[in-house]
Amino acid sequence: MILSDKRILEEIEKGTIVIAPYDRKYLGTNSYDVHLGKYLATYKDRVLDARKHNEIDHFEIPEEGFVLQPGTLYLGVTEEYTETHAHVPFLEGKSSTGRLGIDIHATAGKGDVGFCNTWTLEISCAQPVRIYAGMPIGQLIYFVVEGEVETLYNKKGNAKYNGRTIKPVESMMWRNEF
Ligand SMILES: Nc1ccn([C@H]2C[C@H](O)[C@@H](COP(=O)(O)OP(=O)(O)OP(=O)(O)O)O2)c(=O)n1
């Protein structure tokens, strides 16, 4: 079950959903629109290694926008810091970004109950496209979770992406043991 606009508002009032900054006008029928933060990042190395810590370079999107190029993975970040204490948040694209050939996540759209942070976006594009800080980039939807949660994401000792980051965060796969 996905939360309706009224249910999202109720959860915001209770404090079980936090979205900051928040504006009522970005609340859709059953979703909340999130916006592209001003920082992007790309990996320093062309060849990434899943076992290693692949470092990234951050840069700011200029006023006139930044042209994404196909064949490069860009990490972006939502302007919105979110907390979701009782539901499963999902980051979805928007039809309007999709129609520009922009993907905003690579394989992982699901969040965890207890996730508290901005969302890192794994951005790629089908053809060169100029993007701007502050543009609507995706939407959050909230699923009801069945059953009690034993360990919330923000209480997990090994949660990799919890925190309060205003810049995109690179893959922490290197922290997994394999
Ligand atoms: N495009 C995405 C998808 C998810 N997340 C956030 C919300 C999730 O709660 C958190 C962790 O996502 P996953 O569980 O998919 O990631 P991992 O399994 O790699 O990390 P961990 O071991 O910390 O669970 O990252 C994000 O910022 N950007």
Side-chain angles (χ1 to χ4, degrees):
M1 260 189 307
I2 297 179
L3 296 196
S4 66
D5 49 2
K6 280 188 173 177
R7 288 286 297 107
I8 294 173
L9 276 172
E10 281 168 18
E11 296 301 323
I12 289 173
E13 271 159 31
K14 277 198 271 176
T16 42
I17 289 178
V18 174
I19 302 173
Y22 165 81
D23 192 322
R24 175 69 180 80
K25 69 176 182 231
Y26 299 133
L27 184 62
T29 312
N30 41 246
S31 61
Y32 185 86
D33 274 357
V34 289
H35 300 82
L36 183 64
K38 66 179 176 187
Y39 295 103
L40 290 178
T42 51
Y43 283 99
K44 288 181 195 281
D45 294 328
R46 190 69 192 165
V47 179
L48 305 181
D49 185 331
R51 278 211 167 122
K52 294 201 175 132
H53 187 177
N54 301 281
E55 291 180 359
I56 53 176
D57 289 319
H58 290 102
F59 57 96
E60 264 188 56
I61 301 173
E63 196 64 29
E64 68 272 19
F66 175 81
V67 179
L68 300 176
Q69 299 291 341
T72 296
L73 174 67
Y74 300 89
L75 297 179
V77 66
T78 58
E79 264 180 6
E80 289 84 1
Y81 164 85
T82 70
E83 295 184 3
T84 311
H85 298 289
H87 296 87
V88 180
F90 268 69
L91 176 70
E92 283 291 333
K94 287 179 68 60
S95 175
S96 303
T97 42
R99 289 169 201 222
L100 291 170
I102 303 170
D103 269 334
I104 64 154
H105 68 68
T107 206
K110 173 203 63 70
D112 297 276
V113 186
F115 173 67
C116 301
N117 208 344
T118 52
W119 292 67
T120 286
L121 312 169
E122 302 101 16
I123 304 174
S124 58
C125 63
Q127 67 184 75
V129 54
R130 188 177 293 275
I131 58 168
Y132 300 88
M135 67 183 275
I137 197 75
Q139 53 190 321
L140 291 173
I141 55 178
Y142 294 93
F143 284 83
V144 172
V145 64
E146 170 72 27
E148 224 175 277
V149 176
E150 188 179 61
T151 315
L152 292 165
Y153 190 73
N154 56 343
K155 300 282 189 271
K156 261 174 65 175
N158 58 354
K160 300 189 198 84
Y161 304 111
N162 218 57
R164 195 148 195 154
T165 49
I166 56 159
K167 293 182 179 176
V169 177
E170 68 274 31
S171 173
M172 295 292 171
M173 175 67 93
W174 58 275
R175 285 175 47 185
N176 286 69
E177 284 168 20
F178 65 98

